[in-house]
Amino acid sequence: MELTEVERERLAKLEQLRASGIEPYPLRSQFVRRRVMAADAVRRALALAQNHADASENDEAAIMGRIVARRVMGKAAFLGVEDASGKIQLYARVGDDSLQADSFARFKELDLGDFIEATGALFVTKTGEPSLRVTDWRLLAKSISPLPIAKEEKQPDGSVVRYSAFSDPELRYRHRYVDLAVNPEVREIFVTRARIIKAIREFLDSRGFLEVETPVLQPIYGGAAARPFITHHNQLNQDLYLRISFELYLKRLIVGNLERVYEIGRDFRNEGVSFKHNPEFTQLEFYAAYMDMYDVMDLAEEMLQHVARQVLPPSAEGKSRFRGHTINWLQPFKRIKLRDAIRERTGVDYTQFPDRQSLANEVLQRKLLTPEVIHGKPWGKIVDSLIGDYVEKTLIEPTFLYEYPRDISPFAKSIPGDPNTVERFEGFVGGMELCNAFSELNDPLEQRQRFLEEAVNAEEGEANPVDEDYVRALMYGMPATGGFGMGIDRLVMLFTNRDSIREVLLFPALRQEERAATH
């Protein structure tokens, strides 16, 4: 490993510590177990100052965290220490009420990035800074590689503007551990992500849903039109697929009398990478017996509004910002038939062009799509292209488009009197698709026919393979069922105002590099 000059200097410090009998990476049993989080310590210090408490009344506190600021002034030293809750200043000086000379000498030689534990009394400095007067300390972990240092500037209104020294997106994604260490706003994204998932679970659990787990490795992939990742099991001597959806396994559970089930987990699709696509992503799917598309639409709206109430601050009044738009999650969601939405934006009523060639001719004549875009696409995929190019980006407020072509909905029931249109809706927010739902097809014979039709008509590599075991499950009977799927990552983007999926994934997929500098 090639080291920088600073890293070599820090390694020398580490060796000196060990030579003097100090372990730079001590066991847990070697440091104090009583701990106060930085944010609580700050509150306690301010309360003590407000109550004009004497030093004798200041209960001792133990702070543990990473050194993020350092200033030495003669016989005094100030260290800023950060933990998961926030920051607090440590103050140490040579003297009877603080540190002995040898301990102070080591204290002021600590480096930015080191983890320490400090014990002492809480107080507020003359300049109003909540602090800990250090009477004892120990090193918890020595930092060898220096972290990039962010610059903070206090504004006239008292707010603080932070300029990160580690802002290059490519480096941030490759070295997320550095990104998280130096950019508190990035840590907040993933705190919010966890709160979103918790709120979803709370909502579904409260409505009688059972959380389950289904196989990640599957002998037959299905449940979506996507290319799978393929792997091989040596003992079984067979190829397996990383799942692209939970759908067909979750509906097997409905057959087995588990009437309401959901799963939150990873799906994998061997496709392109974009601002809203990553090869692995987190999905929520739920299925409920004795529901249809309209029941699921109501339930999905309630769920997203519950998440907004739980995650957004009360001052936001259920509104979030995304790409310059304000999204009101608490107002009733718009509900528009797909046919009407496309006709409004393109002038084309696709139901008047019931075969592929007539629809292709119409969109080409109107110059809505190019020959390259529609080449080889069946009728339903042309309709889907019109959604993506002309409708999706216009749907900023939460909107459900419903009643979709049968051609692109192999698992949905047809609406009464119109076999070419199915009970399916997609939800859009912020100009992108967020969720997808069906009245699930439960006729085993029609489902098998749909599988066969799709295998013939779908684009190469994007057909659902015929899953005979799933058809066999339906043969035992599945009640009318409503199903729903939603991308968690996109929901997090919407609630944290991030316009790239990479910002809300801890470790997004990146092209491999032999070496990438961290600073």
Side-chain angles (χ1 to χ4, degrees), residues 24-281:
Y25 305 103
L27 295 171
R28 172 67 181 88
S29 59
Q30 294 177 282
F31 49 90
V32 176
R33 295 176 183 277
R34 182 170 57 87
R35 178 189 182 193
V36 177
M37 298 299 287
D40 291 334
V42 167
R43 284 192 289 269
R44 281 176 53 183
L46 292 172
L48 287 166
Q50 189 175 12
N51 295 331
H52 306 290
D54 295 330
S56 60
E57 297 180 71
N58 297 353
D59 294 335
E60 279 200 340
I63 302 293
M64 299 176 189
R66 185 197 294 272
I67 299 172
V68 294
R70 178 177 173 273
R71 182 164 51 97
V72 178
M73 302 172 62
K75 294 184 177 182
F78 301 85
L79 300 182
V81 171
E82 184 175 62
D83 63 16
S85 69
K87 291 190 293 187
I88 189 170
Q89 177 175 271
L90 306 185
Y91 165 73
R93 59 185 291 275
V94 177
D96 294 338
D97 63 341
S98 190
L99 299 177
Q100 297 299 312
D102 59 339
S103 180
F104 178 78
R106 292 195 304 272
F107 184 83
K108 70 179 184 178
E109 289 300 317
L110 290 167
D111 291 308
L112 293 174
D114 289 350
F115 283 88
I116 70 166
E117 173 200 59
T119 304
L122 295 168
F123 74 107
V124 175
T125 66
K126 293 179 180 178
T127 60
E129 184 71 26
S131 304
L132 180 85
R133 181 179 287 107
V134 180
T135 56
D136 190 22
W137 71 275
R138 56 182 47 80
L139 182 65
L140 302 183
K142 182 67 184 171
S143 169
I144 297 172
S145 296
L147 293 170
I149 304 301
K151 181 181 179 183
E152 293 185 350
E153 289 186 359
K154 197 164 187 177
Q155 304 301 300
D157 63 359
S159 64
V160 175
V161 176
R162 196 168 190 277
Y163 302 96
S164 175
F166 193 66
S167 57
D168 179 83
E170 183 76 8
L171 288 180
R172 288 180 49 240
Y173 304 148
R174 288 190 183 281
H175 306 285
R176 184 67 92 183
Y177 39 87
V178 178
D179 188 28
L180 291 165
V182 301
N183 292 321
E185 67 277 9
V186 175
R187 295 200 295 271
E188 188 58 33
I189 292 172
F190 296 100
V191 171
T192 301
R193 181 187 178 102
R195 293 178 62 212
I196 288 170
I197 293 172
K198 180 182 178 182
I200 290 170
R201 282 195 168 102
E202 288 173 347
F203 178 86
L204 293 173
D205 291 346
S206 70
R207 281 154 177 78
F209 282 83
L210 177 70
E211 185 173 9
V212 297
E213 294 176 304
T214 59
V216 173
L217 292 174
Q218 301 179 350
I220 298 176
Y221 66 93
R227 292 179 175 87
F229 287 95
I230 306 173
T231 187
H232 186 79
H233 192 290
N234 293 331
Q235 181 67 31
L236 298 178
N237 191 27
Q238 71 178 62
D239 286 342
L240 295 171
Y241 303 91
L242 293 180
R243 66 186 178 193
I244 62 174
S245 171
F246 320 143
E247 177 171 351
L248 301 188
Y249 279 89
L250 290 178
K251 287 192 288 191
R252 284 173 168 92
L253 301 182
I254 301 293
V255 171
N257 282 13
L258 293 177
E259 292 184 357
R260 294 190 173 196
V261 293
Y262 76 93
E263 183 168 6
I264 298 173
R266 289 289 203 185
D267 280 336
F268 308 85
R269 298 182 184 179
N270 196 356
E271 299 176 333
V273 176
S274 75
F275 79 93
K276 59 181 180 179
H277 294 98
N278 193 69
E280 58 175 316
F281 58 98

Side-chain angles (χ1 to χ4, degrees), residues 304-378:
L304 291 170
Q305 291 177 343
H306 172 80
V307 172
R309 292 187 183 97
Q310 296 299 309
V311 172
L312 297 174
S315 59
E317 298 180 332
K319 298 174 184 176
S320 64
R321 294 285 293 172
F322 183 69
R323 292 183 181 167
H325 300 285
T326 298
I327 297 168
N328 187 345
W329 295 91
L330 300 187
Q331 69 182 4
F333 289 14
K334 296 178 182 177
R335 304 186 182 198
I336 307 170
K337 288 187 177 182
L338 177 63
R339 174 187 182 185
D340 296 336
I342 291 179
R343 182 167 50 192
E344 179 182 340
R345 271 113 184 144
T346 68
V348 174
D349 182 352
Y350 61 80
T351 65
Q352 300 303 307
F353 305 93
D355 61 86
R356 182 201 180 280
Q357 194 58 53
S358 63
L359 182 58
N361 290 341
E362 181 68 13
V363 299
L364 289 174
Q365 182 179 344
R366 291 174 176 264
K367 297 182 180 179
L368 296 170
L369 301 172
T370 65
E372 293 76 19
V373 168
I374 67 173
H375 176 72
K377 286 187 174 179

Side-chain angles (χ1 to χ4, degrees), residues 441-458:
L441 180 60
N442 58 348
D443 180 336
L445 303 182
E446 184 179 352
Q447 182 63 79
R448 191 173 193 282
Q449 182 61 33
R450 296 267 195 100
F451 275 136
L452 295 173
E453 290 173 4
E454 192 187 21
V456 171
N457 295 327

Side-chain angles (χ1 to χ4, degrees), residues 370-391:
T370 65
E372 293 76 19
V373 168
I374 67 173
H375 176 72
K377 286 187 174 179
W379 182 85
K381 287 285 187 179
I382 296 175
V383 174
D384 198 41
S385 293
L386 293 174
I387 301 171
D389 287 5
Y390 294 96
V391 179

